[in-house]
Amino acid sequence: NGLGHIIALREKIGIRTIFNLLDPLINPAGAKIQVLGVYEPSLTETMAMVLKNLEIKKGLGVHGEDTLDEISITGETKVTEFKDGGIKTYFIKPEDFGLQRGKLIEIEGGTKKENAEIILEILKGARGAKRDITVLNAAAVFMIAGRAKDFGEGIELANQSIDSGEAFNKLERLIEFTNAERRYLRNG
C-alpha cells in the first residue's frame, strides 16, 4: 500500500521530516484514544489538536527530555493532554512517581531481535531503567483510557500486570493469534 512506501522512505531519509509526524497519525484500527510521542517539544500542542481534529476522543502528545518521542525517565517530559473538549499542558518527571531518574544509555534499544528480547525480559519481571520507562509509558495509556485516575495509579496497574504475568500472557496470545492468522496479513 502507499503508506508502506511512506514509512520505508522515512527510514531511508534518516533525518526528521514531516513523515515522522504523519506515520503515528495513521490510524487503521480507528482508535479513539491515543498517546502520541513527538520529537520536538513545541509540537505537543499542535499534534494534540491534530489528533482532536481527527476525531480522537482523548489523547496525549508527549515529548521527553533527550529528544525522546515518548515519556522519559532521563528528565522532564512535556505532556499535552486533551479530553472532554479541553487541552492542558504540564510537565512530569520520574521522581514525581517514585521512579529513579535514568541515563539515556540505560534505556537504549538495539536491533529488532534485541528489542524483542528486552520486551520479554521486562514482561518476565526484570527490574531497572528499561522496565521503569515501559511502566511509565503504559501508565499514560491506562490514564488516558480511563483505567487509572492519574499516572501514579497507572504505574500501579502496569506493575501489577507485569508482576502477575498478565502482560506476558497477553503477548503470548497475540503471537499465537498473529501466527494463526498470518495468511491474512500482507507483507509490505
Side-chain angles (χ1 to χ4, degrees), residues 26-173:
I26 298 166
N27 186 3
K32 295 295 179 191
I33 297 169
Q34 187 166 347
V35 176
L36 177 66
V38 295
Y39 63 82
E40 175 60 46
S42 64
L43 293 174
T44 62
E45 290 89 358
T46 301
M47 297 309 286
M49 287 299 298
V50 169
L51 288 173
K52 190 174 175 187
N53 290 334
L54 289 172
E55 299 182 3
I56 303 292
K57 297 208 180 304
K58 296 188 287 186
L60 300 175
V62 299
H63 171 80
E65 201 170 294
D66 290 332
T67 67
L68 297 172
D69 55 352
E70 61 190 350
I71 298 171
S72 177
I73 62 162
T74 64
E76 269 194 343
T77 297
K78 182 181 180 187
V79 179
T80 299
E81 179 178 338
F82 70 93
K83 64 181 180 181
D84 305 324
I87 293 183
K88 66 180 178 179
T89 295
Y90 51 93
F91 293 84
I92 62 170
K93 54 189 182 300
E95 297 88 351
D96 296 338
F97 313 108
L99 298 174
Q100 188 173 353
R101 190 174 288 229
K103 293 184 173 86
L104 193 56
I105 195 163
E106 295 175 301
I107 57 172
E108 285 181 342
T111 65
K112 288 179 184 179
K113 185 175 189 290
E114 290 167 339
N115 290 342
E117 289 170 3
I118 290 168
I119 290 168
L120 288 174
E121 287 173 17
I122 292 168
L123 295 183
K124 288 180 178 178
R127 302 275 174 184
K130 288 177 178 151
R131 176 180 169 134
D132 288 349
I133 195 168
T134 302
V135 164
L136 189 50
N137 278 273
V141 175
F142 284 136
M143 184 188 76
I144 204 62
R147 297 255 334 261
K149 69 178 188 288
D150 55 28
F151 275 97
E153 191 173 284
I155 288 170
E156 288 178 30
L157 281 173
N159 278 318
Q160 285 173 2
S161 180
I162 292 170
D163 293 339
S164 70
E166 182 183 346
F168 182 75
N169 291 338
K170 285 194 188 283
L171 176 63
E172 283 187 318
R173 287 197 305 271

Side-chain angles (χ1 to χ4, degrees), residues 5-39:
H5 296 298
I6 289 173
I7 294 167
L9 178 61
R10 182 192 77 175
E11 290 172 357
K12 284 182 185 175
I13 292 172
I15 59 171
R16 292 177 175 149
T17 67
I18 190 69
F19 294 121
N20 292 79
L21 298 174
L22 293 176
D23 183 16
L25 294 174
I26 298 166
N27 186 3
K32 295 295 179 191
I33 297 169
Q34 187 166 347
V35 176
L36 177 66
V38 295
Y39 63 82

